[in-house]
Amino acid sequence: MALPKPNLTIAPTAAEPGLAGAAGRRKHALRAGDCLCRHWMRVDAEQRYADVLAGPGHDARVFAVFDGGRGYLGLVEARDAALFPGRIFADLLVRRQPPALAADMALHAVFERLGGADCDYLPVVDGAGGFVGAISMLSGVTALLDQERQLRGEREQLIESLRAELENRRITAAVFDAASEGIVVTDADSRIILVNAAFTRTTGYSEGEVLGQTPGILRSGRHGAEFYDVMWRDLWDQGHWKGEIWNRRKDGKVYPEWLHINAVRDDAGSISYYAGVFSDIMLHEDLRNKLHNLAYYDPLTDLPNRQLFTDRLAQVVAQAQRAGSGFSVLFIDLDGFKDVNDTLGHSAGDRLLVSVAARLRAAVRQNDTVARLGGDEFTVILQESVDESAVVTAASKIFDALGSPFEIDGHDLFVGASIGASRYPDDGVTVEQLLIAADSAMYRAKGEGKGRLGFYSAILHQRATHRVETVSALRSALNQQGLRVHWQPQVNLADGTIGGIEALARWPRPDEEPISPAVFIPIAEQSGLIDALGLWVLETACAEAASLCDVGSGCFPRVAINFSPLQLKPGIERAVIDVVRVSGLDPAALELELTESALATGREGMLEFLRKIGETGIDVAVDDFGTGSSNLATLKTLPVQKVKIDRSFVCDMVSTPNDREIVAAIISMAHALNLKVVAEGVETHEQARILRDLGCDMAQGYLYSRPVPLADLRVLLAAPAHQIGAPTELVAG
Ligand code: C2E
Ligand code: CA
Ligand code: CA
């Protein structure tokens, strides 16, 4: 951009008039009138020199003699008068007075005349012939010298002020262009005559594109005419306006700016320029955001830093306090990070931290906060994880996420972690308490070996440790054929024959108490083992059931297999169908049991799954019916064929009339919907009798058989016509 004309926006500099004045005087060569002798005195023709001497001190070198009636008479030099002090001046005048010089006579001509004259002084007259003074060689030279001196002084002053001016301009120009504020100057007609670099940066218009235009090209259309009316009125009345205004950039984007306009008036008071200074508010926002980021985020990993983490934790504490709810804090410390730093260098260490951060973030839920406290220490706020199993689940997701190797600089690095957990409000109610508790839980976990989760509370810690151990034991049982399937018959209440068999997972543990599937299935569900476990049960159960085909005569019992809603993953129906096909079992002999609550949650893909397996002939039974909140009518919309009344109703049915009514209602409604009904947990003949009277189709329970291994099931099935349900008999499993 060309050197701006800053004096357009500022008052004209002092140097300007000086420039003009000096230049004018230099052009004006000295004239007679400029060089008059200062030592002259006006005297009257009748006066004597002696009288003058007697008067107040004088330094006159020449006397201009006047006669009251005739005016100027002539000059008398002091040195002549001194010769005849008693004479009057009229007598001292030389007879032939030299002709007067015009005041505007050029000095060089004056000097010529003085040189040719036989006197030292010549009179000077104005255009009208009036006496203005006397001139001599000396006064001419003095005037010349004076002028010279004055000119030199002025020239020096001028140079000085020019130098200052130049400096001023340079500074102003620099300030003008370096200003982060946009500057636009228009003439009185609002035509842009000057913009700075910030203007161009902000608006996207180059100087060339806007010069001669009005600032109207920036109009966003967001303000009505009234807005601009007020602006103009303020400018005229008060000389300035400021406020927020929405303008439009060249690229069409609308942005807010803070604008300050000043009307610049000339000496006569009329407006000569408008100078506008504006700042892009967005830019300030950006800057604020940047500062905010610096203050609250870890620059390496982009995770919230300690400051933001404690802020958020304080918020979550306040929320939980209000809601009377709980949450957990995890403290994660990487194992072996120092080794990476030491062997591969800090930049490799940094890259590892960035990858770890990304995996951590992906491993937790969206509204859980992951932060980096510094070094290899990370923290997580688990907003909704109140009970310890949820914490264990979250921690195992983190362990899993960190489990696969990190590829850094061509190395596959394995990084473990120790995790400590504290819970609000049990382990602390302030930010500090919770952090300290999580930190010490982490140390406890580290102390017990790497890759562990520790709880602050001792009981929880024990339980969690146990749980973690259970998960890994279950995993190896699954991998090492340590699980079994047992079978429990379902008996037709009408004739006591075995109409179905349910496969139930078993985990026999040598030298230890058996763990019920009611315990290990949820653990499998939470730890993600359920996929493998579910498929294993399906394969094993189908294979075992298929091997029963040779047993006995009559109709083959239906094979029921439990199916967890957590097994629902894309492609699961294909896997199920394939397993059944490979086993050789007729799909029409198979039914999957899904709990009422699993069906009721409306899990994504559930309906699709039921439809697809239904097409192959596999039936669906609603397990644990009555424990959920669904009703039979809603089940009607699902492709299900059977309802299993939960054991709790069967159990209380004898003593509690209410429960009996519920059972009766379920049976009649199910029949109305064309669904078969199985009663679970039948332990007594009394229960069996009532159920038969209510029209229940089948019963399952210890009354007939406990879940038994395949070999025992064979024996049961080998009974004449599978008849194990004779009212007096109880077969123990
Ligand atoms: P469930 O599907 O309701 O299975 C019936 C449970 O009731 C079984 O417990 C069975 O042993 C028990 N039971 C049967 N008759 C009686 C009785 O007369 N009295 C009493 N008190 N209990 C009786 P189990 O085998 O401990 O299984 C517990 C739960 O674990 C099952 O409940 C089922 O939800 C789940 N489960 C078991 N195996 C599997 C499996 O392979 N996959 C899935 N997803 N879940 C399974
Ligand atoms: Ca079941
Ligand atoms: Ca059940």
Side-chain angles (χ1 to χ4, degrees):
M1 165 168 176
L3 189 77
K5 303 146 218 149
N7 51 328
L8 289 178
T9 58
I10 319 167
T13 60
E16 294 290 336
L19 262 175
R25 213 164 304 155
R26 204 172 327 154
K27 263 187 259 145
H28 169 72
L30 286 180
R31 310 258 154 196
D34 299 324
C35 310
L36 298 177
C37 170
R38 266 171 253 138
H39 308 281
W40 70 277
M41 190 178 178
R42 182 188 170 109
V43 292
D44 193 83
E46 300 300 322
Q47 252 181 302
R48 296 180 311 164
Y49 181 60
D51 301 334
V52 174
L53 285 176
H58 78 94
D59 67 344
R61 289 181 201 149
V62 65
F63 294 96
V65 184
F66 281 82
D67 160 19
R70 290 168 49 205
Y72 170 71
L73 298 178
L75 294 177
V76 173
E77 291 184 35
R79 80 179 161 187
D80 293 338
L83 295 175
F84 311 99
R87 292 197 193 170
I88 59 167
F89 281 104
D91 291 343
L92 293 174
L93 290 169
V94 286
R95 194 141 311 145
R96 259 187 72 238
Q97 278 291 316
L101 306 180
D104 62 356
M105 178 181 266
L107 192 58
H108 64 92
V110 172
F111 281 138
E112 252 167 49
R113 292 281 292 274
L114 279 168
D118 47 10
C119 54
D120 288 345
Y121 290 88
L122 290 177
V124 178
V125 293
D126 59 19
F131 177 83
V132 293
I135 190 168
S136 67
M137 274 299 187
L138 184 64
S139 75
V141 170
T142 308
L144 260 182
L145 287 175
D146 274 356
Q147 189 201 35
E148 192 52 36
R149 200 178 308 120
Q150 193 184 349
L151 275 181
R152 200 181 312 122
E154 268 173 12
R155 209 174 302 125
E156 271 163 16
Q157 208 180 358
L158 180 69
I159 289 171
E160 192 46 48
S161 59
L162 273 177
R163 196 176 287 137
E165 162 74 353
L166 200 67
E167 188 64 12
N168 261 344
R169 284 189 185 214
R170 208 176 291 135
I171 292 171
T172 315
V175 168
F176 191 74
D177 260 2
S180 59
E181 268 91 9
I183 299 175
V184 54
V185 180
T186 72
D187 62 15
D189 297 328
S190 294
R191 300 277 156 205
I192 296 175
I193 52 175
L194 189 67
V195 295
N196 71 345
F199 174 93
T200 298
R201 264 198 311 277
T202 306
T203 63
Y205 287 106
S206 70
E207 187 186 20
E209 286 170 316
V210 293
L211 288 188
Q213 306 268 9
T214 74
I217 59 163
L218 299 173
R219 278 201 188 193
S220 63
R222 285 214 182 174
H223 304 287
E226 202 192 329
F227 177 87
Y228 295 101
D229 287 350
V230 170
M231 177 192 280
W232 282 112
R233 209 174 36 236
D234 282 1
L235 276 173
W236 288 325
D237 295 351
Q238 292 155 30
H240 58 87
W241 179 89
K242 62 181 169 203
E244 192 178 313
I245 182 170
W246 285 83
N247 274 344
R248 186 183 298 278
R249 296 185 219 277
K250 189 183 172 189
D251 63 10
K253 280 200 198 95
V254 167
Y255 68 98
E257 64 180 38
W258 180 257
L259 175 62
H260 196 142
I261 313 179
N262 267 318
V264 181
R265 292 176 191 272
D266 61 17
D267 292 344
S270 49
I271 291 175
S272 43
Y273 308 108
Y274 296 101
V277 177
F278 62 86
S279 47
D280 184 343
I281 295 175
M282 297 280 228
L283 218 74
H284 285 216
E285 285 287 280
D286 279 0
L287 201 68
R288 220 185 356 248
N289 286 346
K290 270 193 200 119
L291 288 177
H292 173 88
N293 276 3
L294 276 181
Y296 287 109
Y297 288 87
D298 169 35
L300 179 64
T301 61
D302 261 357
L303 291 178
N305 63 11
R306 181 183 284 271
Q307 180 64 48
L308 183 54
F309 176 77
T310 46
D311 284 3
R312 291 228 180 125
L313 188 52
Q315 267 172 25
V316 176
V317 165
Q319 259 166 28
Q321 200 171 23
R322 272 197 304 275
S325 57
F327 65 90
S328 309
V329 174
L330 298 185
F331 199 108
I332 306 169
D333 185 274
L334 300 184
D335 296 329
F337 176 72
K338 197 177 165 297
D339 298 342
V340 175
N341 249 352
D342 290 350
T343 53
L344 297 178
H346 282 271
S347 83
D350 281 355
R351 261 167 291 150
L352 177 62
L353 288 175
V354 171
S355 309
V356 166
R359 290 199 195 174
L360 287 179
R361 211 173 358 210
V364 302
R365 284 192 233 164
Q366 193 119 45
N367 57 346
D368 292 340
T369 299
V370 180
R372 179 175 174 226
L373 291 200
D376 60 347
E377 290 177 346
F378 297 85
T379 44
V380 182
I381 303 172
L382 298 172
Q383 294 254 37
E384 278 147 38
S385 299
V386 193
D387 64 359
E388 92 221 60
S389 66
V391 175
V392 171
T393 305
S396 38
K397 282 200 186 127
I398 290 173
F399 285 131
D400 280 354
L402 300 180
S404 50
F406 290 86
E407 213 211 281
I408 306 281
D409 294 349
H411 300 270
D412 274 351
L413 302 179
F414 286 88
V415 179
S418 299
I419 304 181
S422 62
R423 300 184 325 141
Y424 175 94
D426 297 358
D427 304 334
V429 291
T430 68
V431 168
E432 292 74 27
Q433 288 168 351
L434 287 165
L435 259 182
I436 290 171
D439 182 53
S440 67
M442 186 277 293
Y443 271 102
R444 168 191 257 164
K446 228 187 208 351
E448 289 175 6
K450 298 186 169 175
R452 282 171 189 261
L453 166 69
F455 274 90
Y456 182 67
S457 120
I459 301 165
L460 285 191
H461 183 73
Q462 235 167 9
R463 281 221 297 260
T465 310
H466 178 70
R467 205 183 170 84
V468 170
E469 283 166 2
T470 308
V471 170
S472 71
L474 182 60
R475 184 179 281 121
S476 37
L478 187 59
N479 292 337
Q480 293 158 21
Q481 326 298 326
L483 299 184
R484 299 281 173 272
V485 165
H486 281 194
W487 296 94
Q488 188 175 37
Q490 296 172 348
V491 174
N492 291 313
L493 281 168
D495 57 10
T497 57
I498 298 177
I501 48 175
E502 178 179 2
L504 291 159
R506 289 292 177 268
W507 180 13
R509 302 191 303 164
D511 314 324
E512 273 184 271
E513 281 285 290
I515 297 187
S516 155
V519 173
F520 71 76
I521 293 292
I523 291 180
E525 288 178 334
Q526 281 163 9
S527 61
L529 282 176
I530 192 67
D531 298 317
L533 195 152
L535 271 188
W536 177 85
V537 170
L538 189 69
E539 278 164 5
T540 312
C542 286
E544 290 193 4
S547 78
L548 289 173
C549 287
D550 55 339
V551 178
S553 55
C555 55
F556 187 76
R558 300 189 61 77
V559 179
I561 298 174
N562 294 286
F563 187 87
S564 159
L566 286 153
Q567 287 177 260
L568 269 188
K569 305 265 161 68
I572 180 69
E573 59 278 341
R574 198 62 261 151
V576 170
I577 293 164
D578 284 351
V579 167
V580 176
R581 196 170 36 79
V582 167
S583 74
L585 195 70
D586 178 7
L590 192 68
E591 62 193 32
L592 294 188
E593 294 190 2
L594 277 114
T595 61
E596 179 197 356
S597 44
L599 289 166
T601 50
R603 255 185 119 80
E604 206 186 328
M606 175 68 85
L607 205 74
E608 181 71 0
F609 171 72
L610 297 181
R611 205 181 48 73
K612 284 213 175 118
I613 58 158
E615 281 168 6
T616 68
I618 300 174
D619 277 358
V620 172
V622 186
D623 209 349
D624 302 348
F625 189 81
T627 55
S629 53
S630 57
N631 54 45
L632 279 172
T634 56
L635 288 181
K636 208 183 75 176
T637 60
L638 295 171
V640 298
Q641 290 76 30
K642 200 183 249 182
V643 168
K644 297 185 77 176
I645 302 175
D646 189 69
R647 197 175 70 223
S648 54
F649 297 99
V650 176
C651 181
D652 298 339
M653 190 178 57
V654 179
S655 56
T656 320
N658 191 31
D659 279 4
R660 189 193 302 208
E661 272 162 36
I662 291 174
V663 171
I666 293 174
I667 293 169
S668 61
M669 279 186 68
H671 283 164
L673 294 170
N674 221 358
L675 301 172
K676 288 257 176 286
V677 184
V678 183
E680 295 188 295
V682 179
E683 295 182 353
T684 66
H685 295 292
E686 175 74 351
Q687 289 165 342
R689 191 188 52 76
I690 296 172
L691 287 164
R692 197 175 42 237
D693 291 351
L694 289 175
C696 182
D697 302 294
M698 296 172 112
Q700 177 181 356
Y702 295 169
L703 174 63
Y704 309 103
S705 169
R706 288 184 176 257
V708 294
L710 183 70
D712 298 356
L713 179 68
R714 278 178 186 278
V715 175
L716 293 177
L717 287 173
H722 314 324
Q723 213 161 7
I724 59 169
T728 49
E729 230 177 315
L730 189 143
V731 184

